Amino acid sequence: MSSAALHPMLNVAIKAARAAGAVINRASLDLDSIKVGTKATNDFVTEVDHAAEAVIIKTLLEAYPQHGILAEESGKEHGNSQSEYQWIIDPLDGTTNFIHGLPIYAVSIALAHRNVVQQAVVYDPTRNDLFHASKGRGAFLNDRRLRASRRTRLSDALVGTGFPFRKGDNFKRYLKLFEEIMQQTAGVRRPGAASLDLCYVAAGYYDAFFETGLSPWDVAAGSLIVQEAGGLCGNFTGESDFLHQREILAGSPKIYAQLVPLLAPYSRVIQTEELATEAPAPAGAQPKSRRATLVRDPSSDVPL
């Protein structure tokens, strides 16, 4: 699809994503000089995340100054918080990969109107791959139309996922889930950037992808790209309200339908606090537990 045929708001998102990608690519040439901070255990942020986010926000607000912004590193500090339009941004999805020099990371930008994602861009700067979609107009990788996989048997399916890495994650519970999925599929993969994982479902590289603990900026753009490629997105019980549920299942329709009953018993992991944005406790206050609270599905026999 030529740039002339793209929605104007999508064109602005693409411009912003490429500008952020240029920042990231320049920084990748000298990783040793990058300052790395920690938001929580194994949850890193670099000056590159901040620089990429700044150039995205500048580009978007120059074009649409009345729009709202939801960005991973700065929250809702920019734009018009009352707008019906909200840009949902992850400036560098896969920061841990980036700081290790593993070239699997991306820029993710979505535009939601009244909480429905309308435009989506995921840009892989190391490969110069641009995944994009406009609601109702299909999904593309560069100029090539994307189609979700046509595989129908779960035993033939290649499935992407994310591994738990935060304090408080119930590792035994995840291992039980992985054991079940691994034995019923052709393979499980974990590259480490959810936005790209979703695009891989849209492209048919994966037949499905699932992960818990994700935020809206991890999945907003990729989920529209999946849906516009003919795939399905939902939470682990198959409901479409996944954006703020901290769990997502995406896949081609036949494989998605077979994974829902496997994942449903593991649904609804509710953490008592957001570890990545935990505020420091006032002086003299008792420390909060960092343990996740797991709400058990009464119909499930899965040990929590």
Side-chain angles (χ1 to χ4, degrees):
M1 181 181 282
S2 71
S3 60
L6 298 179
H7 191 285
M9 291 181 182
L10 183 62
N11 266 327
V12 171
I14 290 170
K15 179 183 176 184
R18 289 196 182 278
V23 169
I24 293 165
N25 278 341
R26 280 196 302 273
S28 72
L29 300 175
D30 189 11
L31 289 173
D32 290 340
S33 70
I34 293 170
K35 295 173 185 169
V36 180
T38 304
K39 293 187 281 188
T41 304
N42 294 333
D43 192 1
F44 302 104
V45 62
T46 72
E47 56 192 328
V48 182
D49 295 72
H50 290 295
E53 184 171 288
V55 75
I56 292 169
I57 291 171
K58 181 175 183 288
T59 304
L60 297 178
L61 291 183
E62 279 179 353
Y64 300 105
Q66 295 306 310
H67 284 190
I69 300 280
L70 174 62
E72 179 173 13
E73 307 309 338
S74 57
K76 296 182 179 180
E77 294 172 13
H78 304 275
N80 174 14
S81 62
Q82 305 305 311
S83 176
E84 292 183 348
Y85 288 94
Q86 184 180 57
W87 294 94
I88 306 172
I89 301 163
D90 191 339
L92 178 50
D93 181 25
T95 301
T96 302
N97 286 350
F98 173 76
I99 61 180
H100 285 83
L102 183 64
I104 304 171
Y105 41 83
V107 180
S108 177
I109 303 173
L111 175 65
H113 179 245
R114 295 182 179 177
N115 297 316
V116 177
V117 177
Q118 302 285 340
Q119 311 294 337
V121 174
V122 174
Y123 180 53
D124 176 347
T126 67
R127 293 166 186 80
N128 196 26
D129 276 345
L130 186 81
F131 298 88
H132 59 90
S134 293
K135 191 169 180 64
R137 299 182 67 178
F140 295 82
L141 166 53
N142 301 320
D143 295 326
R144 179 171 64 85
R145 183 76 179 256
L146 295 178
R147 302 281 186 194
S149 157
R150 294 181 180 174
R151 288 188 186 84
T152 58
R153 297 195 307 177
L154 190 59
S155 59
D156 294 333
L158 184 63
V159 178
T161 191
F163 298 154
F165 62 88
R166 300 173 182 85
K167 278 189 175 181
D169 285 336
N170 190 317
F171 288 86
K172 288 183 179 178
R173 182 175 176 279
Y174 277 93
L175 289 172
K176 175 106 172 103
L177 172 56
F178 290 149
E179 180 182 13
E180 196 162 346
I181 299 297
M182 284 175 184
Q183 291 187 56
Q184 298 198 46
T185 60
V188 177
R189 299 290 183 265
R190 200 281 192 190
S195 61
L196 280 177
D197 285 318
L198 289 164
C199 291
Y200 294 170
V201 173
Y205 306 158
Y206 291 158
D207 302 290
F209 167 75
F210 70 94
E211 189 170 352
T212 70
L214 296 176
S215 297
W217 46 77
D218 297 310
V219 299
S223 60
L224 179 63
I225 293 169
V226 168
Q227 291 163 336
E228 288 296 318
L232 298 175
C233 289
N235 58 24
F236 283 7
T237 54
E239 300 159 272
S240 61
D241 181 22
F242 61 86
L243 195 60
H244 298 279
Q245 298 288 345
R246 298 187 64 74
E247 63 183 38
I248 189 170
L249 168 62
S252 59
K254 291 271 185 9
I255 302 301
Y256 179 96
Q258 293 169 72
L259 282 171
V260 167
L262 296 180
L263 293 177
Y266 299 86
S267 183
R268 300 292 187 246
V269 181
I270 301 175
Q271 294 189 311
T272 55
E273 59 197 80
E274 284 286 344
L275 299 180
T277 56
E278 181 185 1
Q286 290 297 314
K288 293 180 182 178
S289 167
R290 297 183 68 89
R291 182 174 58 84
T293 299
L294 300 171
V295 178
R296 191 176 190 279
D297 180 342
S299 66
S300 167
D301 60 357
V302 178
L304 295 179

